[in-house]
Amino acid sequence: MMEERSVYDTPRLACDTAIQYLQPGVYHMQSPNYKRDDPGNYTNDFRCKYRMHAADSNGMLRFDCFFFQLEDSQYCLKDSFAVARDEGAQTITNFYCGRTKTPKTLFAKNIDVSFKTDSSGTDKGFFCTVMSKEAVAGCGSLPCGKRYLGPGTYSLLSQNYPENYGNNIYCKWELVASDPSNTVDFSCSSFDMISWDNSCEWDWMKVDDVRHCNNNKPAPQQFTGGVTVEYSTPDLPHKTRKGFKCTVSIRDSKLANESN
């Protein structure tokens, strides 16, 4: 979990049907009457909606709930907490209620949350956070985003490398070889991403959806046609690390075959 400072000393999001474009940072939402030390029950017949987008078009939102207790019911037909996110052209919505059907950590560019209560029972409610991350790469690195690459060698660097990276960063490189038959070699000569709580939750790199952290440097790997690399950093500027220096080499498969 985040440190208490990062959880509670953050701006509170207001109910709003208009889209809120969140600048990099951490925000929170909470049910009516929620108190940190003694959560009070929320009210009946209440409606609230949050529509959140990352202000950075290449950035990302991270959604977490640290406290969640709603009136339980089958299919969450009474009180409910709905979380919707876009995945490609599809919108996926999950409904939560009770004390066991609780929201999971979620990454998405856009997130909508709807909280509604009926006229019957209540419970202590929820306290959730939204971290808005910006897309930043290091000097001399390929910029974040989708890149079509011809044969050659390219650098992937964390922000400020070899100095410590900043906080609230999410960068995704979708690297596509200009010829889909070309070979893509990926390797890291330096890797230092250790979460402040020794988990793999806050500081990490993903290579083709496999997560690496805590000095578990990715092994050299070879792909055909492309590779996707992501990295994410926490909201704690005093607990960041030096990051990484990696390279991606695109080799023309036709030339390689001719040389053999």
Side-chain angles (χ1 to χ4, degrees), residues 96-204:
Y96 303 95
C97 60
R99 299 189 178 191
T100 57
K101 294 173 284 195
T102 59
K104 307 300 182 184
T105 297
L106 171 68
F107 283 87
K109 290 184 176 295
N110 309 321
I111 299 175
D112 289 355
V113 173
S114 297
F115 173 55
K116 72 176 185 67
T117 70
D118 65 1
S119 58
S120 61
T122 66
D123 210 322
K124 294 187 179 298
F126 62 86
F127 183 94
C128 304
T129 61
V130 180
M131 182 187 295
S132 181
K133 295 171 173 280
E134 61 181 332
V136 184
C139 182
S141 172
L142 284 173
C144 308
K146 191 168 188 176
R147 306 290 161 189
Y148 292 90
L149 305 177
T153 298
Y154 307 87
S155 294
L156 303 182
L157 305 173
S158 54
Q159 184 200 36
N160 300 329
Y161 183 86
E163 303 300 322
N164 285 20
Y165 47 75
N167 56 310
N168 293 326
I169 294 173
Y170 172 84
C171 177
K172 182 176 184 178
W173 291 282
E174 294 181 78
L175 307 178
V176 182
S178 54
D179 183 334
S181 66
N182 283 353
T183 298
V184 180
D185 293 316
F186 172 84
S187 63
C188 294
S189 59
S190 177
F191 185 84
D192 178 14
M193 299 192 76
I194 301 179
S195 292
W196 62 270
D197 59 356
N198 291 318
S199 72
C200 212
E201 279 294 307
W202 308 105
D203 306 63
W204 49 260

Side-chain angles (χ1 to χ4, degrees), residues 51-105:
R51 301 181 65 197
M52 301 162 290
H53 287 200
D56 186 332
S57 60
N58 285 319
M60 186 67 67
L61 299 179
R62 173 179 173 139
F63 178 80
D64 296 274
C65 285
F66 294 90
F67 182 90
F68 191 88
Q69 293 183 9
L70 266 61
E71 179 190 16
D72 201 6
S73 63
Q74 188 175 23
Y75 308 119
C76 298
L77 293 177
K78 294 185 177 181
D79 299 348
S80 68
F81 188 92
V83 182
R85 68 190 187 279
D86 292 337
E87 287 196 2
Q90 185 179 15
T91 299
I92 298 175
T93 303
N94 296 103
F95 292 86
Y96 303 95
C97 60
R99 299 189 178 191
T100 57
K101 294 173 284 195
T102 59
K104 307 300 182 184
T105 297

